[in-house]
Amino acid sequence: ALSDPGRVKVLKMLEGRELCACEIIGMLGLAQPTVSRHLKVLVDAGLVTGRKVGAWVHYRLAEAPASPYAGALLAALPGWLEDDPDIRAMRLGLDTLSTRCEGKS
């Protein structure tokens, strides 16, 4: 699940807060079907959970992963890529991201 840099970026984004799928799409700059596939892989791996809000799904890191492997990966996540300029810029961009999501929390 974490062999793709885009999926790792999604996890790093979700460290800060729950995000709507449209916010993730905007931050990654990828097509909606590509981001949907990434999110499905992360959900199937037990790393991320989603909840439907209106027309959108809001995603967050799994709070109680069923798999011990997913739990270990999520426990290690805060130390990953903290000095990476792309991750740093992405986090700064989350604060100013304009969204077209309905029902944003």
Side-chain angles (χ1 to χ4, degrees):
L2 299 180
S3 64
D4 186 278
R7 291 194 286 268
V8 174
K9 286 180 181 179
V10 169
L11 290 182
K12 293 303 284 184
M13 281 190 275
L14 293 174
E15 268 186 313
R17 63 179 171 94
E18 179 178 85
L19 294 170
C20 176
C22 65
E23 293 173 303
I24 296 168
I25 291 165
M27 288 301 299
L28 291 179
L30 297 173
Q32 182 272 326
T34 301
V35 174
S36 290
R37 278 193 303 275
H38 285 325
L39 289 165
K40 180 172 178 9
V41 169
L42 293 171
V43 168
D44 289 349
L47 296 166
V48 171
T49 60
R51 65 181 180 91
K52 187 94 166 143
V53 178
W56 295 98
V57 178
H58 291 231
Y59 292 92
R60 67 175 49 188
L61 295 178
E63 292 178 13
S67 161
Y69 303 109
L73 288 169
L74 290 175
L77 183 62
W80 295 351
L81 303 169
E82 290 302 308
D83 58 348
D84 184 275
D86 289 339
I87 299 295
R88 197 173 306 124
M90 189 178 58
R91 282 190 177 144
L92 291 172
L94 279 175
D95 295 332
T96 60
L97 182 67
S98 63
T99 180
R100 56 186 165 91
C101 296
E102 297 171 14
K104 184 181 169 210
S105 60

